[in-house]
Amino acid sequence: MTPRPHRIAIAPSGFKESLSAARVAEAIAAGVRRVIPDADLDLIPLVDGGEGTAEALALAGGGRLVPCTATGPVGDPVASHFALLGGPGPLTAVVEMAAVAGLALVPPDRRHPGATTTYGVGELIRAALDAGARRILVGCGDSGTSDGGAGALQALGARLTDRHGRELRPGGGALHELEHIDPAGLDPRLAGTELLVACNPYNVLCGKRGVARVFGPQKGATPAEVELLSAGLERLAAVLTRDLLPAFAPRAAAPVDLRTAPGTGASGGLGAGLASVGARLLPRYDVLLDGLDLDARLARADFVITAEGALDHQTVRGKIPAEVARRAQAAGVPVLVLAGTIGPGAQDVRAVGVDAYSAILPAPMTLVEAIGRSGEFLADATERAMRIMALGTRLAPVAA
């Protein structure tokens, strides 16, 4: 009996500011083929709502990207896009918040989350409405903002004012001054549009695990700024609940606690802002993996390789490697994670089904060099991992 080729599923996320998920998968595949040329590889690049989501869903759904210009996170115009999907039913658009308010669009010397805005997200939603979309999926991830979606609401027509009736300036740093939200100017098409937000349900707006405290420092906030942002988001939640939520509550399946409901902290609180105008906050993988048949594809594999830019304590809180490992573990398939860097808490991934993990960098180097050569390093790291496996197991033939 001729042994069949080994089946390896390659299901990675992208590496932020470096490689798309598709390019990560291709680099890993190249490393595997150096060791097992006849391997049966199933490339399953995955997105989590962040960078690359609109393009990936357009490709998977027979759609197309629509280029446009919108307001970037620091207030300057940026080249952006949204996707229009194919298929039956109402025309569906995908708005990827990272394409207009992502951290990659914030210059390192301007990373002040108290000043960055989601205004461009609202502009993309309006552009999707102009294109005829009546179902809009907003992908949350890789954000450079902490304004609770205030900017997006302003772009959609709401007026956010202080106690003097003045329009609030952009950014989460001004939210503690918020006194009133006037919904009269909100785009009326929102009432007839299904607005869905694909988000990490672990992220909440307020409290000890509130988004400002968890992600503010990553976006450049000092300890004092974190506290200011936290206070501002608390104020925003209270005013949204008083001034906006009652008008849209009949559309919601159940009342939403904008402070602590799962996903309200997505993308610096964008989840809460959109929920206040009737958006449904959905666990991102329930939405983004639909149509990929991921469970069956992982179950058919003998081995799974996944990857992400940084493996640390956040990975188990809804990142792609943890989701892949959880699903593969249910099918009894072993999992290897390759990561750009390995940080504190990485060992926690073993509890969700990861059998081994490894960093890809061969030596200390600058971030610029690591980003520029990440594809090369991924292929080399994959080859090293496969040769170590071959040394230990001799990759015994698998019965057909």
Side-chain angles (χ1 to χ4, degrees):
M1 180 182 296
T2 303
R4 65 167 172 80
H6 290 272
R7 296 182 183 131
I8 301 175
I10 301 174
S13 70
F15 279 27
K16 292 178 178 60
E17 302 182 59
S18 176
L19 296 175
S20 68
R23 290 185 62 195
V24 170
E26 291 164 1
I28 293 172
V32 170
R33 290 194 176 104
R34 293 175 191 173
V35 183
I36 317 172
D38 65 344
D40 180 1
L41 303 183
D42 185 8
L43 275 60
I44 321 171
L46 301 175
V47 291
D48 62 2
E51 294 174 8
T53 293
E55 180 180 15
L57 295 187
L59 290 172
R64 61 187 176 91
L65 286 182
V66 179
C68 58
T69 299
T71 303
V74 297
D76 301 326
V78 297
S80 188
H81 59 261
F82 61 94
L84 292 175
L85 305 187
L91 182 62
T92 298
V94 179
V95 169
E96 173 192 320
M97 82 86 58
V100 71
L103 188 61
L105 297 174
V106 184
D109 62 346
R110 299 181 71 179
R111 291 193 173 176
H112 307 297
T116 51
T117 178
T118 55
Y119 196 91
V121 178
E123 291 179 317
L124 291 188
I125 292 173
R126 295 190 77 154
L129 291 169
D130 291 342
R134 291 302 174 263
R135 183 175 186 266
I136 300 177
L137 172 63
V138 180
C140 288
D142 303 332
S143 73
T145 57
S146 289
D147 73 348
L153 292 175
Q154 289 173 314
L156 289 169
R159 289 194 69 241
L160 281 69
T161 55
D162 63 17
R163 63 190 180 92
H164 301 291
R166 297 174 301 203
E167 190 79 22
L168 225 59
R169 65 183 185 277
L175 292 177
H176 68 284
E177 301 172 5
L178 179 63
E179 183 65 28
H180 178 64
I181 300 177
D182 180 0
L186 277 170
D187 194 312
R189 294 173 295 181
L190 289 172
T193 302
E194 184 181 17
L195 191 58
L196 309 174
V197 180
C199 54
N200 187 340
Y202 288 99
N203 293 342
V204 299
L205 188 67
C206 302
K208 292 181 179 179
R209 296 294 302 172
V211 67
R213 290 190 168 90
V214 174
F215 295 106
Q218 297 178 16
K219 299 174 183 179
T222 65
E225 288 169 336
V226 165
E227 293 309 309
L228 181 66
L229 289 171
S230 296
L233 293 174
E234 289 276 3
R235 179 61 185 163
L236 176 67
V239 179
L240 288 174
T241 300
R242 184 194 68 200
D243 293 351
L244 279 190
L245 200 57
F248 290 91
R251 296 176 53 198
V256 178
D257 179 350
L258 296 181
R259 294 184 67 258
T260 60
T264 51
S267 290
L270 176 65
L274 295 181
S276 72
V277 292
R280 287 193 290 146
L281 307 184
L282 302 174
R284 54 188 173 182
Y285 298 122
D286 290 355
V287 180
L288 301 174
L289 302 185
D290 184 35
L292 289 179
D293 200 19
L294 181 61
D295 290 333
R297 292 168 75 176
L298 295 178
R300 285 194 295 267
D302 303 311
F303 179 50
V304 174
I305 303 175
T306 182
E308 73 168 333
L311 193 74
D312 55 26
H313 67 283
Q314 289 289 344
T315 301
V316 297
R317 298 180 61 83
K319 296 294 185 71
I320 281 176
E323 181 69 13
V324 169
R326 181 180 66 79
R327 292 169 182 253
Q329 184 182 52
V333 181
V335 175
L336 167 69
V337 179
L338 298 173
T341 61
I342 294 175
Q347 69 278 1
D348 295 346
V349 298
R350 295 195 181 100
V352 296
V354 172
D355 295 277
Y357 56 83
S358 179
I360 69 170
L361 298 183
M365 63 186 66
T366 66
L367 178 61
V368 171
E369 183 179 5
I371 289 174
R373 300 178 64 188
S374 53
E376 170 193 344
F377 294 150
L378 260 172
D380 291 347
T382 304
E383 178 184 1
R384 290 194 298 271
M386 299 308 296
R387 292 196 183 282
I388 290 171
M389 289 177 59
L391 179 64
T393 66
R394 299 296 184 186
L395 286 177
V398 178

